[in-house]
Amino acid sequence: MLPTVDPPSQAQDSASIVGVIFAAGMSSRYGKMNKLLVSVNQDGKIKRQKNQFNDDINDSVIRRSTRTLLNSNLSQVFVVVGYQSDRIHRNLSGLDVNFIENTAYASGHSSSVHAAVEVFNSRKNEPIDAAVFALGDMPYVDPKSVNTLIRAYQNGIGSALAAGYKGQRGNPVLFDQQYFSDLLDCSGDNGGKEVLLSASDGAIVETGDPGTLEDINQPSDLS
């Protein structure tokens, strides 16, 4: 079991930390609609508003989740796309993100982790110290929670960290680059949980944010 720690109040260094949003899944449990493209109101209620491509664009689940990372202190944000990637691209138009294509998305969540890590490993001239991995179907995470993870890492709290709420492990998670090779060994829908739980200095960082536990799996989660 991972220990729960309180976050430090200030950052101590300027490590290069990037963010990744996973948006390649097929949304099979949600029904006929792609849950990432469903729009929500400010209060979280589902809203129907279509653009010319018949896509929900007004504060969609994926757009909101992506803005969470963009509004944090990450140096760069990547979005891993696969299923209906053209629609995700359009939905995130105007946002300062870099897209990573995952052609093996049908094989499970780990394929998106692999796609991201392979891009990181290829950046020899721009090394990455750590990455925050976030889920595209978690639109209620506060950007402050991402910054809390960043501060904890920069202060040496741990090299594998999960955002938490009242002691429960949630998302996003942060991995130091030392774990990138281990993440490439993940398979199926295991997106790094075993790597996190087996880390010698892994920890849950208390954020006080219930959004770190709230994902969207079915329409009732938005009502």
Side-chain angles (χ1 to χ4, degrees):
M1 180 179 295
L2 294 176
T4 299
V5 298
D6 292 323
S9 58
Q10 294 181 334
Q12 296 297 319
D13 64 28
S14 56
S16 174
I17 306 174
V18 302
V20 181
I21 287 280
F22 294 118
M26 294 184 287
S27 186
S28 56
R29 285 185 291 175
Y30 192 84
K32 294 182 179 180
M33 298 178 65
N34 186 336
K35 64 182 177 182
L36 298 183
L37 299 172
V38 173
S39 291
V40 290
N41 283 321
Q42 284 298 109
D43 61 359
K45 299 294 179 66
I46 189 170
K47 179 164 61 176
R48 311 284 185 179
Q49 182 164 329
K50 309 284 186 176
N51 65 5
Q52 60 179 316
F53 301 106
N54 202 37
D55 289 338
D56 293 294
I57 61 170
N58 196 351
D59 216 18
S60 67
V61 169
I62 183 59
R63 196 172 178 90
R64 215 183 221 196
S65 299
T66 303
R67 284 208 316 271
T68 292
L69 295 196
L70 289 172
N71 290 333
S72 72
N73 294 330
L74 293 164
S75 62
Q76 199 170 11
V77 175
F78 297 85
V79 181
V80 182
V81 295
Y83 177 67
Q84 296 187 343
S85 62
D86 57 337
R87 298 183 69 192
I88 301 295
H89 273 271
R90 288 196 297 264
N91 200 268
L92 297 181
S93 63
L95 298 185
D96 184 17
V97 298
N98 301 275
F99 290 97
I100 298 173
E101 298 288 337
N102 172 19
T103 58
Y105 63 86
S107 64
H109 180 60
S110 62
S111 64
S112 290
V113 176
H114 297 168
V117 172
E118 286 167 0
V119 168
F120 299 161
N121 289 340
S122 70
R123 289 164 51 112
K124 303 301 182 183
N125 296 326
E126 298 178 88
I128 292 171
D129 295 311
V132 171
F133 294 100
L135 302 180
D137 65 351
M138 296 188 69
Y140 305 124
V141 177
D142 192 315
K144 294 179 182 178
S145 298
V146 180
N147 290 339
T148 295
L149 278 182
I150 293 172
R151 287 199 310 274
Y153 172 76
Q154 292 176 332
N155 280 272
I157 297 297
S159 58
L161 303 170
Y165 177 64
K166 294 185 177 180
Q168 295 187 65
R169 176 172 51 84
N171 281 284
V173 296
L174 179 150
F175 288 105
D176 180 85
Q177 57 84 25
Q178 67 179 287
Y179 295 108
F180 288 174
S181 59
D182 294 325
L183 291 172
L184 288 175
D185 292 331
C186 297
S187 60
D189 281 323
N190 180 4
K193 176 182 176 181
E194 292 180 3
V195 177
L196 173 68
L197 297 179
S198 63
S200 60
D201 59 349
I204 298 170
V205 180
E206 180 59 50
T207 64
D209 177 12
T212 61
L213 305 180
E214 299 176 10
D215 59 349
I216 307 300
N217 286 316
Q218 51 193 2
S220 60
D221 295 328
L222 282 167
S223 62

